[in-house]
Amino acid sequence: MGQVPTKPGPPGTKFRVIGAGMCRTGTKTLNEALTILLDGPVHDAGVQSLGGPLHQVNQWMEIMKKAPYAKTFREKKYIQYLLADVLDGYVATVDCPAVTLTPELMELYPDAIVIATTRDAESWWTSMNIMNSMMSNWYIPFLIMWVPKVGVYGHWRELFRHMTLWRYGDERITRDTLGKHEDHLRAVVPGDKLFWYNVKDGWGPLCKILNVPVPDRPFPHNNSTKDAGKTYREVILAGLVAWAFMITVAALLVWLLGGRLAVVRGTELASVLPSKYRAIVHTNTSNH
């Protein structure tokens, strides 16, 4: 949440890379690097599913709702249709929830390669656990419910639990999830299509994987734990501002409605009073 969404390129843009690394393995850095090397927009599924155009938010919610239970040929084709629609115009995708759909994406884009960012399991869990502690708080969905698009986070979080249960046997990302995810990739991705990459290695290995020249610019580094904390605080602030606005609007409506009711009641009272008192009541109600 809180990253900047990207707009798709022209319809039919060639999709080239399935970014299959688990979140907090350098996926945001890979996003920026692929944008430079492939000269096209990258679809960050986490960002787009919570902060992208409304139709993308809705598409991802539908995908997460249906994918774990797609058993028949027709149901699976429906998931592919949704993925093709939401990813049209992008050269690659990264991050959750897309990383849980690597087999489906490979079937949809058979010519694409799979790049899985990875890192030391302990450092990954340290970073991931910080995110878990922030985003799993019970009050977060309530606090941000009025924030446009991001307000669906409560439902998004519940649907993602079904996704992780489906793929990894756990309702949330745990210490073992990274290993389970990487074992899953080894099982479903052909060896000549799967490339492991650590963002600490910079341009060289990534450019070799993509068979492109090394650019003459610094390698990007994005979304550190510190950056994630900043994003979290920004979202919380947006939620507080939204609640303040809603409470102000509600108070204003109550005030206006209260004044209106006073006028109506005064008018009704005047209609049943003797004529000599009506002028007094009329004067009092007019002051409202």
Side-chain angles (χ1 to χ4, degrees):
M1 298 190 314
Q3 301 287 329
V4 178
T6 55
K7 296 180 180 180
T13 296
K14 183 176 176 59
F15 187 92
R16 298 179 57 184
V17 174
I18 300 169
M22 179 55 64
C23 48
R24 307 308 303 167
T25 60
T27 55
K28 298 295 189 288
T29 295
L30 179 64
N31 180 339
E32 193 170 340
L34 290 177
T35 300
I36 295 168
L37 296 177
L38 300 181
D39 192 27
V42 175
H43 186 100
D44 185 316
V47 173
Q48 303 296 137
S49 64
L50 284 168
L54 187 58
H55 77 277
Q56 289 189 8
V57 174
N58 291 336
Q59 291 285 65
W60 274 114
M61 297 292 277
E62 180 73 358
I63 290 168
M64 289 194 290
K65 179 181 178 181
K66 297 292 180 62
Y69 311 104
K71 305 299 182 185
T72 67
F73 176 82
R74 184 175 182 177
E75 290 168 342
K76 292 178 180 179
K77 284 299 179 183
Y78 178 57
I79 298 301
Q80 287 195 351
Y81 162 77
L82 293 173
L83 287 170
D85 183 59
V86 80
L87 296 176
D88 188 27
Y90 293 92
V91 296
T93 186
V94 297
D95 220 332
C96 299
V99 300
T100 63
L101 296 164
T102 300
E104 290 76 10
L105 290 170
M106 287 194 302
E107 187 173 350
L108 182 61
Y109 301 109
D111 295 331
I113 62 172
V114 178
I115 299 179
T117 46
T118 188
R119 65 187 290 187
D120 170 75
E122 284 303 314
S123 66
W124 170 79
W125 177 242
T126 298
S127 177
M128 189 69 244
N129 200 32
I130 292 173
M131 287 297 296
N132 277 345
S133 65
M134 289 190 293
M135 301 314 300
S136 62
N137 287 322
W138 65 268
Y139 58 81
I140 296 296
F142 175 75
L143 184 61
I144 65 175
M145 64 184 296
W146 300 114
V147 180
K149 291 181 281 192
V150 178
V152 303
Y153 175 69
H155 188 38
W156 187 101
R157 186 171 69 180
E158 185 61 29
L159 291 176
F160 189 63
R161 284 175 178 166
H162 290 271
M163 297 286 284
T164 57
L165 181 62
W166 169 49
R167 280 298 188 217
Y168 315 120
D170 298 306
E171 288 191 351
R172 58 179 295 177
I173 294 178
T174 69
R175 181 186 292 272
D176 297 328
T177 302
L178 180 62
K180 290 180 178 180
H181 175 67
E182 294 185 349
D183 286 344
H184 168 69
L185 293 180
R186 293 185 186 96
V188 300
V189 183
D192 62 339
K193 291 272 190 177
L194 178 59
F195 298 89
W196 300 99
Y197 173 63
N198 192 318
V199 296
K200 288 184 177 180
D201 295 333
W203 286 122
L206 183 59
C207 292
K208 184 177 180 181
I209 292 170
L210 297 170
N211 194 27
V212 297
V214 176
D216 185 20
R217 60 189 298 176
F219 186 76
H221 290 284
N222 199 341
N223 202 37
S224 65
T225 302
K226 183 178 179 180
D227 294 332
K230 181 175 180 291
T231 296
Y232 172 78
R233 291 189 294 273
E234 289 173 350
V235 172
I236 294 298
L237 178 60
L240 291 172
V241 170
W243 267 108
F245 174 77
M246 296 302 295
I247 291 172
T248 300
V249 170
L252 180 61
L253 289 175
V254 169
W255 179 76
L256 291 173
L257 184 60
R260 179 65 177 171
L261 287 174
V263 171
V264 171
R265 288 172 180 171
T267 303
E268 291 175 348
L269 178 61
S271 67
V272 299
L273 289 175
S275 58
K276 65 180 181 179
Y277 296 116
R278 290 180 185 174
I280 299 174
V281 174
H282 178 72
T283 301
N284 289 336
T285 57
S286 296
N287 290 334
H288 288 279

